[in-house]
C-alpha cells in the first residue's frame, strides 16, 4: 500500500477518534468542555443572549451575581467597549483646582466660589476662556500654570481671575492696583475674558444663586 494512502487513512482515524472523545456518551468529562451542551433542556438556564454581539453564549461568558436583574452584554463585548473608549487625563485640572482652593484659604476672607467650582468648570475656564496659556508669557505647560485673583482685594471667581505661571503669580499677588502694573491692552483683554466667563457661568446651576445674591452683572466688570 502506498504511503499517500496510509496518510489519508491516518487522518480519517484521527478525526474519528476526536469525534469519539468529544461524545459524552463515551467520555463523560467531554460534556463539561462543550460550550453548547448536548441536552437541549440545559439551554433554558445556562445560555443567554448578548444584545451587543447578537450571540447566544453560556452563562460563564457574562458577569452575573446574586443581585443581577438583567444579564446585558457579555464579557468580551464589555472588554472591547472599554478598550475602545477614549481616556481623558484630568490630573492637571484637579491640580489647578486644589492649588486654587489652597491659596484662597490663605486669604481668610470667607471665599466661596473656589469651593463651588468643580474640575469640569476649571477645565472649561482653562481651555475655552484662557486657551490653556499664561496671560503674560503664553506659557502652555498645564502644570506650570496657576489661577490667581485679578483684583486681589476681591475673592476669586471665574470673572475675577487670571492664569499665570508660578513666578508671574507671585509678582501679581504683590500688585495693589492692576491698572498701574499692566498696560491698557492687557487689562482690556482680561476684562473681555471675564465677560465671556461670566456669560458662561451664569447659566451653570451652581452659580445662579451666588450671582443673584451678590447682584453680579456683566456691566459691573
Amino acid at each position: 500500500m502506498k504511503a499517500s494512502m496510509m496518510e489519508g487513512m491516518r487522518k480519517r482515524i484521527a478525526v474519528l477518534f476526536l469525534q469519539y472523545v468529544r461524545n459524552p456518551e463515551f467520555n463523560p468529562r467531554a460534556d463539561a468542555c462543550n460550550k453548547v451542551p448536548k441536552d437541549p433542556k440545559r439551554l433554558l438556564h445556562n445560555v443567554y443572549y448578548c444584545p451587543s454581539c447578537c450571540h447566544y453564549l453560556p452563562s460563564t461568558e457574562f458577569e452575573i451575581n446574586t443581585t443581577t436583574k438583567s444579564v446585558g452584554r457579555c464579557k468580551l463585548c464589555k472588554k472591547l467597549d472599554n478598550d475602545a473608549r477614549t481616556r481623558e487625563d484630568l490630573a492637571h485640572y484637579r491640580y489647578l483646582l486644589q492649588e486654587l482652593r489652597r491659596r484662597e484659604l490663605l486669604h481668610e476672607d470667607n471665599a466661596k466660589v473656589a469651593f463651588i467650582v468643580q474640575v469640569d468648570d476649571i477645565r472649561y475656564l482653562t481651555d475655552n476662556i484662557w486657551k490653556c496659556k499664561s496671560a503674560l508669557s503664553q506659557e502652555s505647560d498645564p502644570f506650570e500654570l496657576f489661577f490667581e485673583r485679578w483684583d486681589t482685594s476681591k475673592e476669586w471667581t471665574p470673572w475675577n481671575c487670571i492664569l499665570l505661571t508660578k513666578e508671574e503669580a507671585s509678582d501679581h499677588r504683590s500688585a495693589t492696583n492692576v491698572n498701574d502694573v499692566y498696560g491698557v491692552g492687557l487689562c482690556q483683554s482680561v476684562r473681555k475674558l471675564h465677560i465671556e466667563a461670566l456669560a458662561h457661568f451664569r447659566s451653570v446651576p451652581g452659580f445662579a444663586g451666588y450671582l443673584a445674591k451678590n447682584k453680579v452683572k456683566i456691566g459691573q466688570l
Side-chain angles (χ1 to χ4, degrees):
M1 187 176 288
K2 296 182 180 180
S4 59
M5 297 177 63
M6 292 295 295
E7 182 64 25
M9 186 177 294
R10 291 190 186 100
K11 289 182 178 179
R12 287 194 293 273
I13 292 173
V15 170
L16 291 173
F17 177 74
L18 288 175
Q19 292 177 351
Y20 175 80
V21 297
R22 287 174 178 171
N23 192 335
E25 184 178 352
F26 304 106
N27 181 16
R29 300 200 57 180
D31 194 32
C33 301
N34 291 331
K35 289 190 175 182
V36 180
K38 298 296 183 181
D39 185 2
K41 294 181 180 179
R42 294 183 57 186
L43 295 175
L44 296 175
H45 303 290
N46 295 325
V47 173
Y48 297 94
Y49 177 72
C50 174
S52 183
C53 62
C54 300
H55 288 164
Y56 288 92
L57 301 169
S59 58
T60 54
E61 298 299 322
F62 296 85
E63 295 178 353
I64 303 174
N65 53 50
T66 56
T67 60
T68 299
K69 294 183 179 180
S70 60
V71 177
R73 295 178 298 175
C74 65
K75 294 178 181 178
L76 179 59
C77 288
K78 287 184 177 180
K79 180 180 182 302
L80 291 174
D81 178 69
N82 182 64
D83 292 343
R85 288 187 180 275
T86 303
R87 299 301 194 274
E88 294 181 312
D89 186 9
L90 302 178
H92 57 282
Y93 300 109
R94 293 192 186 95
Y95 176 70
L96 269 173
L97 182 57
Q98 290 171 0
E99 284 297 303
L100 169 63
R101 289 175 173 174
R102 183 184 66 81
R103 289 193 299 277
E104 283 298 288
L105 286 174
L106 296 177
H107 285 284
E108 299 181 346
D109 56 0
N110 198 28
K112 297 181 178 65
V113 177
F115 300 92
I116 296 176
V117 293
Q118 301 300 315
V119 175
D120 288 339
D121 299 323
I122 291 294
R123 178 184 179 183
Y124 181 89
L125 193 61
T126 304
D127 295 350
N128 296 79
I129 303 298
W130 294 94
K131 310 303 181 185
C132 202
K133 293 181 180 180
S134 164
L136 298 180
S137 62
Q138 301 299 301
E139 172 64 55
S140 58
D141 184 350
F143 288 99
E144 292 294 327
L145 299 175
F146 298 88
F147 275 113
E148 282 292 336
R149 298 178 174 187
W150 172 244
D151 183 348
T152 55
S153 65
K154 300 178 182 179
E155 75 165 305
W156 183 96
T157 62
W159 49 92
N160 182 42
C161 68
I162 184 170
L163 190 62
L164 301 168
T165 64
K166 185 175 182 179
E167 294 75 14
E168 293 166 352
S170 178
D171 294 335
H172 178 79
R173 284 193 293 269
S174 62
T176 56
N177 189 337
V178 291
N179 294 315
D180 296 335
V181 177
Y182 303 114
V184 176
L186 178 63
C187 292
Q188 290 178 346
S189 298
V190 171
R191 183 177 181 274
K192 180 182 177 182
L193 297 179
H194 288 168
I195 293 173
E196 291 180 16
L198 179 56
H200 169 76
F201 283 96
R202 70 192 305 180
S203 62
V204 177
F207 290 90
Y210 176 88
L211 293 171
K213 182 179 179 180
N214 293 272
K215 300 180 180 179
V216 179
K217 298 180 180 179
I218 291 179
Q220 297 173 348
L221 300 181

